[in-house]
Amino acid sequence: METLAISLVNAVPVLGGVPMWAMTTVVMVAVAAVVLVFALTFEGLGSYMLRKVAGDIQARIGPNRVGPYGILQFLADGVKLILKEDIIPAKADQFLFKLAPYFVFVGSFAAFVVVPFGVGLIASDLNIGVYYVMAITSLVVIGVMLAGWASNNKWALLGGMRAAAQIVSYEVPVGMALMPAVLIAGSLSLQDIVRSQGGLFGVFGWNLFHNPFTFFSFLLYFTAAQAETNQTPFDLPEAESELVSGYNVEYSGIRFAMFFMAEFGDMFVVAALATACFLGGWHVPYFNAQALPPLWGNILSLCVFLAKALGMVLLMMWVRWTLPRLRVDQLMRMAWKYLIPLTFVNLLGVSLWLLLFNGKGIPQMIAGMIGR
Amino acid sequence: MSAAESNARARAEALPTQEMTINMGPQHPSTHGVLRVILRTDGEVVSNARPDVGYLHRGLEKIGERVTYAQFMPFTDRLDYLAAMNCNCAWAWAVEKLANIEVPERAEYIRVIVCELNRISSHLIAFGSFTADMGAFTPFLYSIRERERVNDLFEDICGNRLTYNYARIGGVSGDLPPGFIEKTKEFLDYFEPKIDEYNELISYNKIFVNRLANVAVVSAADAVAYGLTGPSLRGSGVAFDLRRDEPYSVYPKLDFKVCVGTGERGTVGDCFDRYMVRINEMRESVKIVRQAIAQIPDGPVLAKVPRIFKPAAGEAYVRTECPRGETGIYVISDGTANPYRLKIRTGSFVSMNIFETVTKGLMIADIVAVIGSLDIILPEIDR
């Protein structure tokens, strides 16, 4: 933040008289607002996209009434949810009931802070980026459990317990599946991880194609992350046909909307992490976006990043509308008996690969052989 | 006592858990209507699931005593609204047996055609809602898409899309409209490959199979003892189909296979078998409709029945194979214009008997699978 503030002062000398702490605060608030607006916009348009994709897959039309092609549907929904009566069940734990949506929303939204949107476009390039995302998204589980407990509803409680067990279990494989990218980059910072995937190999510079183990860990990450964010086929906490609606069954109006938005936020964070760690982040294949003049480079890399991330989101939606749901015991078995051992073996494989081949990936070795 | 059991017991003593009573329904998305199930669960494991029926009771049998034979026809639409044609025809066959009415052959063929088309549409809903219960919402909309085509056909026949009121005592209300045969053929050609599409999309999906195989196994002996009928009975491997074993109407002239559960992915009689029986029966129904269309003779479609219809005193029981099992209609006449007594036996109601037995020790998600695989419908349970 401070570096940003300093560069701002350098660019606009008039601001030189303003104390440094004030500048930093203003910049922080501004950046947070930009990220929040992006997150909310994505959550709105994401819900529209989800429903349109669902419509296409399910041989129907989807929203088409509000605005051209129904694109303003999310605004109509948002207004409706804000205007709705805010019902709190009489026997609910008032304080916890009100608190829960904030935990879920903050947990999901705070992860946007370290998403590397483009060259220099990152709210805060923390040197513990990956670790931070893993930690902050764990807030969601607290919120979900609180919601389930405070609602004083047995279905909600079951949903909350399912969510707690599921998210905590799947956090392990998610973290372990991200480790290979960290090992290759030698840094936990997401910007560093993205930078490590550039170079002349284009698509083959991505961690996805670095070696067989990283390819595999991408698949593992994608599977486990679907579960961690409660996407079908792992949407047990909100299994509509079993638990009515799960932990959010008693919520209405804007509180419900916060759970809903958090879900889309999570979806984007998962897609963004997959993009940053395995799909080359904002790198344009065979083209160095960093070499462009600042503004153009930023915009180009932002567009590329969003395209990749939205592609991943589409993939998640496709899976969501195709597969049935696992049972809760099968879900747990999958995490502890299959995914976790596999991710550990995979991590070992990547480590050995890096040790044996001096950190070189397959594309680099091939390039070395043909003498480049 | 094995080591695992003693471990479990030691854990239970150290950390006692409390059973929870949960009310599932009458408003619940997966109880297929207003079924209420009282669950006693230990966490997710259900120790007891007691169905509580009666939220949709309309007293159809009593109504039957207060209206004339012909007037009761629209009420049979409401007996099983997903297979109204079958219920219409069941009532017509029962009254015809009571009064010894000879039905024109063309009318019988038309009845078989509409019954089998309705069986297809009913099984489509069973398949679609079952997959939706399992968390896959897309196949449900595919099944609705195909069902629309059947509804269009029925709309051509009788003007209605859900409660048809098409059969009449002595025949059917009107002849097939022009072009109906061609449209039906077109539908069958369109529909048959769709069944394979469903199988590719969801039936053999690994997750789907894992959810259903070996869940809620009903042995053949149990199925017979509890009086299961229809696809739920055949899912347990008992090849019993009233259309073949106690033939009525023109079914003896038609060639079809009785589909039974084979245990192809687990044990004979599990949820998957009951599901597959319905999928395969749709194919057989297509076959039956094709043959009936080819054989249908010309002629009248309604026998001469007096306007004031008073069958001689007596009684009749007719068993028919409806999509949800045997629909039996027992009707007693005392020589007046109204039935003296009417009793309706339905497949869904009898299926509820076995519910409590098979759900012991399952998980909550399996309860939903059992309800879906028995393919119950509430107006048939409560009547």
Side-chain angles (χ1 to χ4, degrees), chain B residues 99-361:
Chain B
N100 280 323
I101 296 170
E102 195 65 37
V103 181
E105 202 179 7
R106 184 174 174 84
E108 287 290 11
Y109 270 102
I110 293 176
R111 282 182 185 175
V112 167
I113 291 171
V114 294
C115 280
E116 292 306 319
L117 283 175
N118 209 342
R119 191 185 308 278
I120 291 174
S121 80
S122 169
H123 281 351
L124 273 174
I125 292 291
F127 150 78
S129 55
F130 190 35
T131 52
D133 290 347
M134 294 298 101
F137 199 67
T138 301
F140 179 63
L141 285 139
Y142 289 180
S143 78
I144 293 280
R145 179 183 66 190
E146 268 71 87
R147 181 171 174 265
E148 281 300 294
R149 303 276 298 248
V150 181
N151 282 354
D152 289 345
L153 289 175
F154 286 157
E155 195 180 355
D156 285 353
I157 286 185
C158 61
N160 292 335
R161 293 171 68 85
L162 187 71
T163 50
Y164 310 112
N165 189 21
Y166 179 55
R168 289 288 178 273
I169 295 160
V172 291
S173 71
D175 203 349
L176 298 177
F180 177 83
I181 300 282
E182 290 71 40
K183 275 190 190 167
T184 310
K185 277 184 184 155
E186 207 180 288
F187 165 73
L188 296 177
D189 292 339
Y190 160 83
F191 176 67
E192 222 175 351
K194 294 286 174 195
I195 303 175
D196 296 318
E197 198 180 285
Y198 300 152
N199 283 344
E200 277 169 31
L201 175 65
I202 185 90
S203 298
Y204 294 112
N205 180 299
K206 183 111 173 75
I207 300 173
F208 191 68
V209 170
N210 281 352
R211 282 291 305 274
L212 300 179
N214 297 321
V215 169
V217 178
V218 180
S219 68
D222 270 359
V224 173
Y226 279 90
L228 288 185
T229 48
S232 305
L233 173 70
R234 293 193 280 278
S236 296
V238 183
F240 178 75
D241 190 323
L242 288 167
R243 291 173 295 174
R244 186 194 66 180
D245 297 320
E246 283 185 26
Y248 51 95
S249 191
V250 292
Y251 279 114
K253 295 178 193 165
L254 304 168
D255 170 50
F256 61 95
K257 203 175 85 208
V258 175
C259 309
V260 290
T262 52
E264 57 176 312
R265 286 292 190 275
T267 324
V268 178
D270 56 10
C271 286
F272 187 76
D273 274 0
R274 287 192 285 275
Y275 164 84
M276 273 325 267
V277 164
R278 291 197 179 85
I279 296 277
N280 293 331
E281 272 186 11
M282 290 198 278
R283 272 188 230 279
E284 295 305 315
S285 290
V286 169
K287 235 163 79 185
I288 294 174
V289 177
R290 277 193 209 284
Q291 293 172 43
I293 284 175
Q295 294 177 11
I296 191 166
D298 285 331
V301 293
L302 192 57
K304 283 230 176 305
V305 177
R307 186 160 287 255
I308 298 169
F309 175 63
K310 289 182 178 173
E315 56 182 61
Y317 182 67
V318 161
R319 311 169 71 181
T320 61
E321 184 74 29
C322 275
R324 289 173 180 75
E326 174 187 336
T327 294
I329 293 185
Y330 180 53
V331 55
I332 304 178
S333 161
D334 56 358
T336 61
N338 303 346
Y340 172 73
R341 174 79 173 95
L342 174 63
K343 170 82 184 93
I344 305 169
R345 180 243 193 254
T346 53
S348 302
F349 179 69
V350 178
S351 302
M352 279 287 97
N353 286 335
I354 204 167
F355 189 75
E356 200 167 346
T357 318
V358 293
T359 49
K360 283 221 169 23

Side-chain angles (χ1 to χ4, degrees), chain A residues 1 14 24 31 90 93 128 131 144 197 206-207 211 273 276 291 293 319 325 337 372:
Chain A
M1 283 305 139
V14 186
T24 312
V31 168
D93 187 327
I128 51 160
Y131 182 67
V144 167
Q197 300 174 61
W206 298 359
N207 278 343
N211 63 51
L273 272 187
V319 170
R325 183 187 303 125
K337 280 195 171 167
R372 277 184 73 178

